[in-house]
């Protein structure tokens, strides 16, 4: 196993245009390009709030998109792409795609580092054993990840859909669930090792992010999420931003929120050095 405290040479932006395991609507496969377009829009710039200029940064690279085809096992393709990046001293910031992509990503990370700490921002726990006869649904990635021993410590923030079944699953897997009722106050999180951040945009109140599939009002503000990212006391070894559906967006506002998060996560990854 590789020492996760050793910093990466580069950070790779990896597009994962995949939404076949979405339970309600398709469209998240268009997320990576929408986030890239918003990030590159001339209305903004590439300086993060901590002053780090990300424009043409020598340690940031766009790895392009994972390629999918009829004959390709999608989870295997995702895992292989992330694995390849990690072997090349490149940490990944993946752009989804629906949330099912996080399971194969974590498989690659755990294979490289051993079980990882996971910080999940999400309206939903995504701990279903099965949904709609699909064990790889975007509602199930963390059940699969725990069963496979990929996660060391799992903290969830922003949850406001904890069903009885998922409460049982959370207890079974030892997940630390911060319901939305107390989440805005959870800004100073401490982990005893590097963290993988998985950011489902529906953690936000839909007022801030209409370009998602599952509207769950009463969520976090953009600033609440930025506070979590910026106040992390431990380094990030990887991250993903998932569940952007450009078909549901209004004036690209959710894409711009995702692009903002991408820039702040990149700045955090650059300055924390794993
Ligand atoms: Mn969600
Ligand atoms: Mn999710």
């Amino acid at each position: 196993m590789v020492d996760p405290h050793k910093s990466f040479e580069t950070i790779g932006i990896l597009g994962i245009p995949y939404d076949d395991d979405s339970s309600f609507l398709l469209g998240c496969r268009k997320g990576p390009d929408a986030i890239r377009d918003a990030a590159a829009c001339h209305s903004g710039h590439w300086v993060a709030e901590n002053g780090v200029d990300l424009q043409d940064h020598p340690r940031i690279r766009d790895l392009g998109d994972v390629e999918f085809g009829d004959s390709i096992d999608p989870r295997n393709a995702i895992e292989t792409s992330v694995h390849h990046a990690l072997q090349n001293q490149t940490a990944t910031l993946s752009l989804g795609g629906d949330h099912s992509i996080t399971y194969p990503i974590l498989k690659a990370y755990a294979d490289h580092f051993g079980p990882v700490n996971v910080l999940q921002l999400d309206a939903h726990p995504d701990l279903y054993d099965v949904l709609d006869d699909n064990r790889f649904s975007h509602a199930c990635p963390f059940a699969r990840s725990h069963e496979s021993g990929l996660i060391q410590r799992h903290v969830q923030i922003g949850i406001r859909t904890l069903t009885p079944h998922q409460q049982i699953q959370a207890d079974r897997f030892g997940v630390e669930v911060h319901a939305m009722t107390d989440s805005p106050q959870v800004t100073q999180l401490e982990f005893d090792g590097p963290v993988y951040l998985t950011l489902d945009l529906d953690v936000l109140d839909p007022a801030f992010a209409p370009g998602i599939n599952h509207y769950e009002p009463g969520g976090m503000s953009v600033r609440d999420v930025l506070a979590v990212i910026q106040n992390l006391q431990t380094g990030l070894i990887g991250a993903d931003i998932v569940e952007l559906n450009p078909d549901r967006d209004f004036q690209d506002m959710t894409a711009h929120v995702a692009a903002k998060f991408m820039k702040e996560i990149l700045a955090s990854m650059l300055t924390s050095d794993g």
Side-chain angles (χ1 to χ4, degrees):
M1 294 296 166
V2 177
D3 179 3
H5 291 88
K6 184 177 175 297
S7 61
F8 289 94
E9 287 174 15
T10 49
I11 300 163
I13 297 166
L14 180 65
I16 307 185
Y18 181 81
D19 59 13
D20 284 0
D21 289 310
S22 293
S23 61
F24 179 52
L25 296 171
L26 300 180
C28 291
R29 69 182 60 195
K30 302 171 187 170
D33 281 347
I35 297 172
R36 288 186 179 103
D37 288 347
C41 179
H42 290 307
S43 69
H45 56 72
W46 280 82
V47 179
E49 292 189 358
N50 67 359
V52 173
D53 189 351
L54 305 163
Q55 183 88 49
D56 301 321
H57 196 285
R59 290 182 60 204
I60 298 173
R61 188 172 305 159
D62 193 326
L63 304 175
D65 288 350
V66 176
E67 295 204 12
F68 300 102
D70 290 343
S71 60
I72 298 173
D73 177 334
R75 281 176 292 282
N76 191 39
I78 296 167
E79 182 182 349
T80 301
S81 293
V82 175
H83 202 258
H84 184 73
L86 295 174
Q87 284 185 318
N88 286 289
Q89 303 300 320
T90 302
T92 55
L93 169 52
S94 299
L95 308 178
D98 69 45
H99 216 161
S100 70
I101 67 171
T102 305
Y103 170 50
I105 293 171
L106 289 179
K107 277 180 88 172
Y109 265 86
D111 188 50
H112 199 73
F113 294 117
V116 295
N117 295 316
V118 173
L119 175 58
Q120 177 188 357
L121 277 70
D122 203 327
H124 315 90
D126 295 346
L127 289 166
Y128 277 97
D129 182 52
V130 61
L131 190 76
D132 301 335
D133 294 325
N134 182 5
R135 289 174 60 77
F136 298 103
S137 163
H138 69 159
C140 306
F142 301 102
R144 298 293 83 76
S145 296
H146 279 286
E147 289 166 357
S148 303
L150 311 180
I151 300 179
Q152 184 170 45
R153 181 181 170 204
H154 186 181
V155 178
Q156 298 179 328
I157 297 179
I159 304 297
R160 49 199 188 276
T161 59
L162 192 59
T163 61
H165 165 67
Q166 293 196 97
Q167 178 70 69
I168 291 168
Q169 292 282 82
D171 292 343
R172 175 182 163 207
F173 297 127
V175 181
E176 298 167 49
V177 181
H178 294 279
M180 189 57 217
T181 42
D182 66 351
S183 288
Q185 287 74 47
V186 184
T187 56
Q188 295 276 342
L189 283 162
E190 290 189 28
F191 290 85
D192 60 4
V195 172
Y196 182 91
L197 172 67
T198 180
L199 203 180
D200 182 333
L201 292 167
D202 67 30
V203 74
L204 295 166
D205 193 283
F208 296 93
I212 54 162
N213 289 337
H214 300 267
Y215 289 174
E216 198 59 52
M220 296 174 82
S221 70
V222 172
R223 183 50 56 184
D224 292 334
V225 172
L226 289 172
V228 171
I229 296 168
Q230 293 169 346
N231 292 321
L232 269 175
Q233 304 296 304
T234 35
L236 289 175
I237 49 172
D240 59 58
I241 301 171
V242 297
E243 296 286 339
L244 171 65
N245 183 349
D247 292 343
R248 301 259 280 178
D249 209 358
F250 178 74
Q251 304 278 24
D252 302 327
M253 64 186 280
T254 313
H256 279 269
V257 169
K260 171 84 173 176
F261 290 157
M262 177 176 79
K263 292 170 184 176
E264 292 302 313
I265 291 168
L266 287 170
S268 174
M269 292 173 80
L270 281 173
T271 51
S272 63
D273 268 347

